[in-house]
Amino acid sequence: MSITQLGQDQRREALLRRSPKRRTARSVRAARRRDAGLLVQAASGDEAAFMAFFDSTVDAIYRLVRCRHEQEAADRVTCDTYVAAFLRAGEQADSGLSPLAWLATLVPAAHGPYPTGGACAA
């Protein structure tokens, strides 16, 4: 099954079962190299590599999106971001950005301007 064919409930379940991990500088560098390699593989159609990239990065992206959106919208925006990432995975290497930074640039592209009212709203 393709990432673009996952049902909304399946995507939401995948997002919600993730838990934050504490990382050291060494593990962050290793994760960047691993994630970049996974995106190269995903660009050639390797869905398993993309799902490993998703597993590695979804916590950070969801927290970013959740600061701007209510939960239901955050789930949708996060899913849309990963669909865009899957379709554009080959562009990361030429971007000059780390895989996570590149992915963060896709958040607005996936869902337009941010509304207010997310979990981090004052």
Side-chain angles (χ1 to χ4, degrees):
M1 177 178 284
S2 170
I3 184 74
T4 57
Q5 294 173 329
L6 287 177
Q8 183 176 355
D9 292 337
Q10 291 171 314
R11 291 183 290 199
R12 180 175 293 144
E13 181 180 314
L15 290 171
L16 296 178
R17 71 173 172 241
R18 309 292 182 226
S19 61
K21 301 170 192 148
R22 187 177 180 116
R23 295 183 171 184
T24 64
R26 177 178 287 171
S27 67
V28 168
R29 286 190 300 271
R32 284 181 187 158
R33 286 190 300 273
R34 182 193 63 241
D35 290 346
L38 291 171
L39 281 173
V40 168
Q41 292 174 309
S44 64
D46 185 342
E47 290 183 17
F50 186 78
M51 292 309 294
F53 173 74
F54 173 86
D55 288 340
S56 176
T57 58
V58 70
D59 292 334
I61 293 300
Y62 186 76
R63 285 191 304 269
L64 171 70
V65 173
R66 188 67 176 94
C67 284
R68 299 290 185 110
H69 296 282
E70 297 298 333
Q71 183 176 350
E72 186 176 316
D75 292 348
R76 187 179 64 252
V77 170
T78 301
C79 291
D80 291 349
T81 299
Y82 279 94
V83 169
F86 182 74
L87 297 173
R88 298 173 62 183
E91 298 175 15
Q92 188 274 324
D94 295 331
S95 72
L97 300 171
S98 72
L100 189 57
W102 171 79
L103 185 59
T105 68
L106 298 180
V107 172
H111 217 272
Y114 291 120
T116 59
C120 299

